[in-house]
Amino acid sequence: MKVPLVSPLSVSALGTDALLFDCPPPMSLALQERILMVADELSHQPGVEEAVPGMNNLMLVFDSTQVDSAQLQAVVNQAWLHPKQAQRAAREFELPVVYGGEYGVDLEHVAAHNGISTQEVIELHSAATYTVFFLGAHPGFAYLGGLHEKLHTPRRAQPRLKVQAGCVSIGGAQTGVQAQTLPSGWNVIGFTDRRFFDPTSASPALLSPGDVVRFRAVGALS
Amino acid sequence: MMEILSTGGLTTVQDAGRRGFRRYGVGISGPLDALAAQVGNLMVGNAPDAAFLEVVIFPLRVQFKQTTRIAVTGSDAQMEVDGQRCPPWWSVVVQPGQIVTLRAPQSGGVAYVCVAGGIDVPVVLGSRCTDLKAGFGGLDGRTLRKGDSLSLLPSRAVNSTRRFGVFPPCAGIPLPEMEAPLSDKTTLVRVLPAAQWESFSEPTREQFQTCDWQITPDSNRIGMRLSGDAQLKPEKAVELLSHGIVPGVVQIPPQGQPIVMQCDAQTAGGYPKMATVIAADMWRLAQAPIGSRLRFQCVNMQQALDANDEVQAYLARVKRAVDFLFQDV
């Protein structure tokens, strides 16, 4: 009997025209690399509008008048167990961050929630090496994996209606930088002045899945 | 060419939506009521990807600088051409200098102004629609304002001067079967259970379907925020990893009041998903005005697909009728 190297994906419907495939926890970079490979493969499947990687999960958007969802599930499961290798060249980015203050209003909450000082939050957050798991939420926003467990903080009970572009934030076990000024339920801990998205560019997003990101604490942005 | 003389504030250029860029985090945008927009484009002889105006806040006044066919669909917003009223879901030819006015609808919400050829704004990432959130597409990524001029693309030869209307979806698509009678100004929308459905207790799932959810003024093209007597809380706190979401997904933030994602929704989210509004009822959702109420009713996948077939059958009837009207010109 052939034993699969990974656990099977669980699946749920998002209406008639989308399916969400989930990896069992814990989240890992190895699983994410496999997700990205399956996403590449499935995006060429007839009737599939888009294969959208998430944080250790994959959403398929398709046309239910053309594609049978049960057949599509079978194709995904096959690709999951036997993914085709794809080349990914990771790049490295260092982002200067001003922690706390006007654009880091939840720094103290994150510290209090985790029973550590704000200085420890800053040190732990800026010491880690993060990997871009996927882009989503809004244009250019990168979900970063690699957040220290001591910093995991649940999303806010009520999302803020406006969070400034450049705000560095924490949502559960994830961290990222707001690429546009928008509503968000994540805890805001700092600010960086890099631009993450340009719709007129051939490759509109600064970061790509697989890229490596580090945050450097600075007193003020130049 | 057409010029915006005045607008209520939330008028944008949209098209069928920006698809294929979710992997950069770019949402689909496009119309809140895709069905009304599709019918409007059919009524002026356009391809499905032609760009049009979406009007959320009224009134709107537009002056046309060339002869063109236009159609107004969506809510029961009535257009006036130089003060002369036309019925809702109506198509006419306008002459240079004529002023078209859309007043607030008696019922329903959003309206569409489709113009033969479609509105000519630059294509950004494969679409002409406005991404208000990210600030690109449409006209400089923003809502339209007084003095804006919009060019039109050449149209398929539609020389007919006929004035005609079509049956709106509320007359042409069967009403969903109701499990309980609805009060006035309550819209029934059918949903499919989503991944965290089972995380909510049976009584909570029942409350979700029996409560009348009022649409709050915080609602916008990103999400429809609802308020009701029930607090929808999962049996255990759920903290999810972020995953793709689509318009229609009903998210339950920790305070327990649902948010229905709309066409400007973020491409990924992480709040528990209780259900998804079925594609066939997205137009009903779009036409439910702020302050009115929603009632959710669960259906199964087959019922959702059958409901879709009814919408497609309606669209096919409209297309046949319009093709017939245009065939002899």
Side-chain angles (χ1 to χ4, degrees), chain A residues 12-18 20 27 49-50 52-57 59 61 64-65 134-141 143 153-159 161 171-174 180-183 185-186 197 199 201-205, chain B residues 19-28 124-125 131 133-136 192-195 218 222 225 239-246 249 253-255 259 265-271 273 276-279 301 304-305 308-309 312:
Chain A
S12 60
L14 286 169
T16 50
D17 291 25
L20 184 63
M27 175 169 84
E49 184 182 302
E50 226 176 324
V52 189
M55 208 78 172
N56 270 198
N57 56 56
M59 179 176 75
V61 185
S64 60
T65 63
F134 79 108
L135 300 187
H138 58 264
F141 181 76
Y143 284 83
T153 313
R155 295 172 182 83
R156 292 167 47 78
Q158 182 77 0
L161 291 174
Q174 312 162 118
Q180 255 106 32
T181 301
L182 289 171
W186 289 27
F197 189 76
S201 162
S203 61
Chain B
R19 288 158 204 283
F21 294 93
R22 282 180 168 102
R23 67 200 162 94
Y24 296 119
V26 177
I28 61 170
V124 182
L125 297 175
D131 188 330
K133 206 169 50 163
F136 65 83
L192 279 165
D218 276 346
I222 297 174
R225 287 164 179 256
E239 187 70 22
L240 297 167
L241 293 171
S242 293
H243 50 78
I245 51 174
V246 292
V249 165
Q255 35 81 349
I259 301 175
Q266 59 269 35
T267 57
Y271 286 126
K273 304 167 294 302
T276 309
V277 176
I278 66 171
M301 184 58 84
L305 292 170
N308 239 344
D309 289 345
Q312 293 309 317

Side-chain angles (χ1 to χ4, degrees), chain B residues 32 56 107-110 183-189 211-229 250 257-262 277 281-296:
Chain B
L32 287 162
V56 180
S107 66
V110 63
S183 53
D184 197 27
K185 293 198 173 166
T186 302
T187 304
L188 184 74
V189 288
C211 189
D212 280 343
W213 296 100
Q214 189 161 32
I215 302 168
T216 74
D218 276 346
S219 301
N220 53 29
R221 282 179 43 94
I222 297 174
M224 196 180 253
R225 287 164 179 256
L226 305 178
S227 85
D229 293 335
V250 183
Q257 304 278 284
I259 301 175
V260 190
M261 303 323 292
Q262 300 270 46
V277 176
D281 282 353
M282 286 300 281
W283 68 269
R284 295 183 205 276
L285 186 74
Q287 293 302 342
I290 283 173
S292 74
R293 288 178 293 269
L294 295 182
R295 178 82 64 84
F296 294 114

